[in-house]
Amino acid sequence: MNHPVQIIPISPDILEIHWPEKISEPILFEILAVKRFLHEKWTGKIHRMYHGYQVLGIVLIEGQDLATRISEVYAILKENFQPGYNPSEFRTWKLPVCYDLKLVPALERYLDKKSIEWGDFVEMHTENSYRLYFYGFLPGFMYLGGLEERLHIPRKAIPDRKIPGGSVAIGGSQTGVYPMDSPGGWYEVGKTPIPFFGQGELRVPFRPGDAIQFESISLSRFNQLKQKENFSWTKWEENG
Amino acid sequence: MAKLRLEKSGILTTIQDLGRPAYSALGVPLSGPMDKQSFLLANHLMRKSPADACLEIYMGNLEMVFDSTCQVVLTGASGEISCGSKSYLTNEIIPVQKAEKLTLSGFKNGQWAYLAINGSFLSENIMGSQSYYPRITEKGRLNSGEEVHYQAAEHSIPLLHAKVKSSVVSNSDPLPAYRGPSFSLLSSDQQHRLKSGTFTLSREQNRMGIHLEEKIAHSLPEMITTPVYPGTVQLTSSGKLIVLMLDAQVTGGYHRLLQLPQRSIGTLSQLRPGEKFRFQLMDLPE
């Protein structure tokens, strides 16, 4: 491990591993490696396991000896645990987003506040890819890192009652996609035609560690993709 | 396939099983019963698997009509229960005849009750669970006039059984709790308040969380987002205390002062707005 970590018992069934408190890709990759390792090593012992930016939470199946589990984690991490994550495992996904003001009139509000031209905004928002750190807040809501500072905007003091599902939005130093209708304090800036949920499953293939790049599409392309029952990610990647 | 029809649905009636642990990493709330002990007891009395779905009923005031003969049991919060012309107790097996109406009064004790059936409730299974969660399952709650499908078991359970005493009693025992990661950042006065102060449940509560009346003013720095769990006691930036419950989001950006274990979550869920309680801080192995 390249970072100092602490093991913190939370309750008789929950323990956490804490990395230094900052948002950083090397920390994310270490968390993912430890998570994968424990997933294999503790088969049948883990009830659920998920993480934030620098904390990995491990909820054990009830009735285990917490002290034993803690000493096992210490042993694993002391043995000079090698994250051994191959960066090529992570993919960059292109997510089609329509920024047309006819579809997303609310974008005007953001552009006004920021005094940015529509074209410049679209270019800046689609220029770089964003790292997916984890899902939280709502089912399928991505915590994405790497929003350019010029695009930051304080969250709305009074959250909107309903941000529609599929909205691409910016709040504070973050950008993301509302996977379902939800109250929220972020500014709507675009809309993706790709449904995040369907047939009772999360339909998007993005995993923590992957990168997401927004790709600007026209309103007619948006409507075309919206009609599709099944979005083929591979075809999209190939044809753009 | 048989049906029960809710003539009166009460405030919040849902189907609950043990939830969606396999989907936490995708941001899906755990869900499941607010009072797990009472839920497990209901399945136990019906000789069912601990993971089977029950109806979860908030505050009572229900009327339901079954269209086939079956047996049910109610655990947890209690009020008056009648079926046909007879009355029944909490934890007592109730034989229901075809077309008979089961009536629950408003609860006198506790808030959450569980109704298990000798058979199974049939409803959509999404991400490995029948638990209702708005926007994941089609329905977020059962409304008056709606129906629940069920399959009655072939064999009935003999009724000659020792009675199980009602488990929900408003008790004044302090709630066991563990110190959360931000506990040590509080001043010793604030720590002392959590250790021995009295706290009051506010009206602001639902399956996601329970807000407490008391506040802890602080100037702790902002945090970056971490995992949270049912039972996590959060301190918001304005000093509010929120106890996260079963439908809470999986991550949060507030300081985490305490973590309630399973049993404390169930006990707390049965206390009503205005009721008071204390925490009993416990130690964990290092």
Side-chain angles (χ1 to χ4, degrees):
Chain A
M1 302 277 279
N2 297 317
H3 300 89
V5 296
Q6 275 183 294
I7 296 157
I8 309 218
I10 298 291
S11 83
D13 302 318
I14 305 173
L15 65 95
E16 288 184 344
I17 307 177
H18 288 216
W19 275 258
E21 195 178 336
K22 60 182 175 193
I23 299 174
S24 106
E25 291 188 353
I27 286 178
L28 170 66
F29 298 145
E30 279 191 10
I31 292 177
L32 295 174
V34 171
K35 186 180 176 214
R36 181 161 70 181
F37 184 85
L38 288 176
H39 201 81
E40 282 162 22
K41 176 148 176 111
W42 282 357
T43 312
K45 296 192 171 81
I46 297 174
H47 185 249
R48 57 197 205 275
M49 181 160 49
Y50 48 104
H51 60 95
Y53 287 110
Q54 39 67 255
V55 174
L56 175 62
I58 305 154
V59 183
L60 300 166
I61 288 170
E62 276 172 68
Q64 296 180 61
D65 182 42
L66 186 67
T68 309
R69 293 287 91 81
I70 290 174
S71 54
E72 279 177 14
V73 178
Y74 267 118
I76 291 163
L77 299 182
K78 259 201 197 134
E79 273 167 24
N80 201 12
F81 179 82
Q82 286 306 317
Y85 235 107
N86 184 349
S88 66
E89 280 181 43
F90 299 116
R91 295 193 54 174
T92 299
W93 302 94
K94 282 181 185 163
L95 182 67
V97 174
C98 179
Y99 296 94
D100 196 312
L101 288 164
K102 288 199 280 291
L103 183 70
V104 195
L107 169 56
E108 204 86 68
R109 210 171 137 191
Y110 172 87
L111 295 176
D112 278 355
K113 286 236 170 205
K114 294 291 295 178
S115 308
I116 303 179
E117 292 293 323
W118 182 86
D120 295 340
F121 167 73
V122 173
E123 201 181 310
M124 281 190 264
H125 199 242
T126 53
E127 198 170 18
N128 302 312
S129 63
Y130 303 99
R131 186 71 64 189
L132 169 55
Y133 279 82
F134 56 92
Y135 288 98
F137 171 53
L138 288 172
F141 189 93
M142 301 182 283
Y143 279 77
L144 298 174
L147 182 70
E148 217 183 301
E149 209 170 330
R150 282 181 296 168
L151 298 181
H152 295 188
I153 188 167
R155 291 174 201 191
K156 293 177 187 171
I158 300 161
D160 288 333
R161 203 166 274 241
K162 183 178 146 186
I163 294 185
S167 295
V168 177
I170 294 179
S173 60
Q174 300 188 81
T175 188
V177 184
Y178 280 79
M180 44 179 63
D181 295 352
S182 161
W186 291 18
Y187 287 82
E188 287 166 53
V189 298
K191 205 167 175 100
T192 178
I194 310 304
F196 272 48
F197 283 94
Q199 290 141 29
E201 290 293 337
L202 185 69
R203 300 288 294 283
V204 292
F206 322 139
R207 287 187 301 188
D210 287 348
I212 314 293
Q213 183 156 22
F214 298 128
E215 179 136 319
S216 173
I217 57 167
S218 67
L219 185 52
S220 61
R221 183 80 174 123
F222 176 91
N223 290 326
Q224 208 182 347
L225 288 171
K226 193 90 185 158
Q227 300 300 319
K228 286 202 174 178
E229 296 245 322
N230 282 303
F231 185 76
S232 162
W233 289 99
T234 39
K235 278 208 184 124
W236 170 261
E237 299 287 301
E238 283 158 18
N239 304 333
Chain B
M1 196 167 49
K3 289 183 290 226
L4 71 82
R5 188 183 139 81
L6 283 162
E7 310 240 297
K8 261 171 73 182
S9 66
I11 300 171
L12 177 61
T13 301
T14 62
I15 293 179
Q16 295 295 337
D17 57 18
L18 293 178
R20 305 188 167 84
Y23 291 83
S24 304
L26 294 177
V28 179
L30 179 60
S31 297
M34 294 284 274
D35 178 358
K36 193 172 174 187
Q37 281 73 41
S38 298
F39 168 90
L40 293 175
L41 176 63
N43 275 334
H44 178 74
L45 292 172
M46 277 291 144
R47 304 180 178 186
K48 289 162 58 70
S49 138
D52 282 338
C54 290
L55 287 186
E56 181 182 81
I57 299 161
Y58 179 64
M59 297 308 286
N61 276 314
L62 246 77
E63 287 178 19
M64 52 183 109
V65 179
F66 294 75
D67 75 355
S68 79
T69 302
C70 63
Q71 291 173 305
V72 299
V73 70
L74 279 148
T75 62
S78 57
E80 284 151 29
I81 307 169
S82 63
C83 186
S85 54
K86 282 190 182 163
S87 40
Y88 294 89
L89 297 171
T90 294
N91 301 343
E92 185 180 9
I93 291 175
I94 305 168
V96 186
Q97 303 306 315
K98 186 176 172 168
E100 240 174 12
K101 185 188 280 189
L102 177 73
T103 305
L104 309 185
S105 71
F107 294 148
K108 306 252 178 330
N109 208 339
Q111 302 200 105
W112 303 91
Y114 296 88
L115 184 146
I117 194 162
N118 182 20
S120 25
F121 290 116
L122 309 171
S123 68
E124 56 173 351
N125 187 306
I126 305 279
M127 300 181 181
S129 167
Q130 289 173 264
S131 283
Y132 280 19
Y133 179 82
R135 296 165 298 179
I136 288 281
T137 51
E138 200 183 314
K139 277 183 196 161
R141 68 177 64 202
L142 287 161
N143 296 311
S144 294
E146 290 183 341
E147 290 171 336
V148 179
H149 295 270
Y150 64 91
Q151 180 88 56
E154 283 178 24
H155 303 287
S156 56
I157 296 167
L159 297 181
L160 299 169
H161 255 294
K163 292 215 173 81
V164 180
K165 274 205 169 173
S166 177
S167 53
V168 176
V169 277
S170 25
N171 66 42
S172 49
D173 294 346
L175 281 184
Y178 300 90
R179 293 166 183 83
S182 292
F183 184 86
S184 61
L185 304 179
L186 297 175
S187 70
S188 56
D189 271 7
Q190 291 168 330
Q191 293 188 4
H192 184 77
R193 269 187 70 196
L194 284 170
K195 254 182 235 169
S196 35
T198 301
F199 294 91
T200 316
L201 283 83
S202 80
R203 298 220 144 262
E204 217 174 316
Q205 58 157 285
N206 54 34
R207 284 190 42 88
M208 294 173 71
I210 298 172
H211 294 233
L212 304 181
E213 297 282 3
E214 291 74 12
K215 288 191 165 194
I216 294 186
H218 68 95
S219 46
L220 296 177
E222 296 232 330
M223 292 191 11
I224 59 176
T225 304
T226 70
V228 292
Y229 317 92
T232 299
V233 181
Q234 291 181 321
L235 177 65
T236 70
S237 26
S238 66
K240 266 194 187 176
L241 294 163
I242 303 172
V243 187
L244 297 181
M245 300 303 278
L246 276 296
D247 282 351
Q249 57 192 63
V250 300
T251 59
Y254 293 132
H255 284 278
R256 300 177 296 162
L257 299 186
L258 299 170
Q259 177 65 42
L260 305 185
Q262 195 72 252
R263 249 174 212 285
S264 299
I265 296 171
T267 309
L268 184 72
S269 77
Q270 297 288 10
L271 298 180
R272 294 185 174 185
E275 284 196 75
K276 292 182 187 300
F277 68 97
R278 288 189 301 124
F279 295 111
Q280 180 184 14
L281 299 195
M282 315 277 285
D283 292 314
L284 284 166
E286 286 295 310

